[in-house]
Amino acid sequence: NHFVGLPHIFGSLGYETYFFHGGHEETMGFKRFTTHNGVKHYVGLEQYPYRDKDFDGTWGIWDEPFLSFFAKTLTESKKPFFAGIFTLSSHQPYAIPAKYQGKFPKGDLPIHEAIGYTDFALKNFFEQIKDLPWYKNTLFVITADHVSLNSRKEYRNVSGKFRVPLIFFHPGRDLVFPSLDRVSQHVDIAPTILDLLNISECRLSLMGHSLLQDDVNAQYALNRSGNLYRFIRKNYVIEWYPGQKVLAHKNLPELQKVFYPNLTLEQLKDVDLMSFLTQYYNQALNQDTLAESHCL
């Protein structure tokens, strides 16, 4: 399929485009996908100069040295640049380098110590770049691909399984969003970046919305687990198995579901929206029309 993403857009505007991942270049199809998506420079385990010394024994390069390498490469890069990095040390088996054993809190789950290490690595990355000329001209976006082990009840429900951090940070600007207490999703990130950088004439697809827009109707998330589709609002979740009854329940921070006996008019409108978006996406995949945006 053909499609238009941020690397295509920024590449057309004269940016150098990068994607970094400390694992083997074919891990999860990253190299094929990102280069197809317009990334000019893919940098992975094979391109890292100290891989024998800094290999973690499982996934690839430890986060701390690879983030440092990321910073050094961007500093030496032609400006402006658009770059992404996918870290790996906070994944199973949740190992940390031997020299940091005992430095980070163990917590009550195996992942907590590894999260402490990745947090430390990210802090060192910002310490390394904070006085460089390009730092104050850069928009940073930090998020996660999925939820992992957790010990807090607000993650023990159907929407909590998809609840990850999303941070926008620009050291040279005050970023003001209409609301921080809202539902958003990964597909909202690209239009938000374009909006923050005043590339407002670009419309990637009908799936995502800029978080700078204060439209309550656009504050939702749509996801799928197997054959179960979920449409998530702040106060309720709609569940739909195609061909079966649509159900709505309260978005509560616990395992049990409190279902609505009948769908409200607002929820029925969301069922229509969920059906439309599902059909739009599947049809675009089948007919290869995802690239029909207004960006290039």
Side-chain angles (χ1 to χ4, degrees):
N1 282 64
H2 301 85
F3 50 89
V4 173
L6 292 181
H8 285 123
I9 297 165
F10 285 104
S12 73
L13 296 173
Y15 285 63
E16 290 293 308
T17 54
Y18 294 87
F19 184 81
F20 289 73
H21 176 61
H24 292 284
E25 60 185 24
E26 291 306 325
T27 300
M28 292 178 277
F30 277 158
K31 183 176 183 180
R32 282 172 290 165
F33 177 78
T34 55
T35 52
H36 182 61
N37 196 17
V39 169
K40 184 177 179 183
H41 307 286
Y42 182 93
V43 184
L45 174 68
E46 289 79 3
Q47 291 76 37
Y48 182 72
Y50 313 110
R51 52 187 174 273
D52 293 335
K53 178 173 69 76
D54 295 327
F55 184 66
D56 69 358
T58 304
W59 284 101
I61 307 302
W62 295 110
D63 283 352
E64 183 195 12
F66 199 68
L67 279 163
S68 179
F69 173 68
F70 177 56
K72 183 175 183 294
T73 305
L74 296 183
T75 300
E76 296 171 353
S77 167
K78 177 185 173 184
K79 312 298 186 294
F81 58 76
F82 172 87
I85 182 169
F86 188 97
T87 60
L88 49 75
S89 294
S90 56
H91 287 75
Q92 289 178 310
Y94 309 124
I96 65 171
K99 65 179 180 180
Y100 293 122
Q101 295 292 332
K103 178 177 175 62
F104 310 108
K106 293 283 187 180
D108 52 6
L109 291 171
I111 193 175
H112 289 160
E113 187 177 24
I115 289 290
Y117 169 70
T118 293
D119 210 33
F120 168 77
L122 191 61
K123 176 185 176 182
N124 284 354
F125 166 76
F126 279 102
E127 287 290 331
Q128 185 176 342
I129 66 174
K130 67 180 183 180
D131 296 321
L132 297 175
W134 57 268
Y135 172 69
K136 289 189 176 181
N137 297 323
T138 302
L139 170 66
F140 297 89
V141 182
I142 302 173
T143 189
D145 56 338
H146 59 79
V147 169
S148 191
L149 301 176
N150 63 81
S151 56
R152 291 166 56 178
K153 69 177 184 178
E154 59 263 39
Y155 293 93
R156 297 175 186 170
N157 58 16
V158 294
S159 57
K161 293 179 181 179
F162 298 91
R163 186 177 174 186
V164 296
L166 177 56
I167 300 168
F168 292 86
F169 167 59
H170 196 305
R173 289 174 54 185
D174 289 329
L175 303 182
V176 180
F177 291 88
S179 173
L180 299 179
D181 184 21
R182 62 179 287 172
V183 176
S184 60
Q185 53 187 336
H186 279 135
V187 77
D188 295 331
I189 294 174
T192 303
I193 290 173
L194 295 172
D195 204 358
L196 284 168
L197 300 181
N198 296 316
I199 309 175
S200 56
E201 70 277 5
C202 180
R203 179 67 172 169
L204 282 165
S205 75
L206 299 180
M207 301 294 290
H209 304 84
S210 169
L211 301 181
L212 294 180
Q213 308 305 315
D214 193 18
D215 181 359
V216 175
N217 293 321
Q219 297 179 21
Y220 60 80
L222 175 64
N223 55 53
R224 191 188 77 181
S225 297
N227 291 325
L228 174 62
Y229 289 81
R230 290 193 183 94
F231 188 95
I232 299 171
R233 291 281 191 189
K234 183 177 179 180
N235 298 319
Y236 59 83
V237 178
I238 296 171
E239 295 186 344
W240 170 52
Y241 283 101
Q244 299 184 31
K245 186 177 181 179
V246 178
L247 302 172
H249 56 86
K250 295 180 181 179
N251 198 357
L252 297 172
E254 56 235 9
L255 286 172
Q256 70 266 26
K257 298 176 183 178
V258 180
F259 286 96
Y260 292 91
N262 297 295
L263 269 65
T264 65
L265 180 60
E266 180 184 14
Q267 291 165 350
L268 287 170
K269 289 181 179 178
D270 281 342
V271 172
D272 286 341
L273 178 56
M274 177 171 63
S275 301
F276 162 73
L277 290 172
T278 302
Q279 180 177 341
Y280 161 77
Y281 179 73
N282 289 332
Q283 183 171 305
L285 286 180
N286 288 331
Q287 300 181 3
D288 192 14
T289 55
L290 281 173
E292 293 181 359
S293 64
H294 305 284
C295 299
L296 299 176

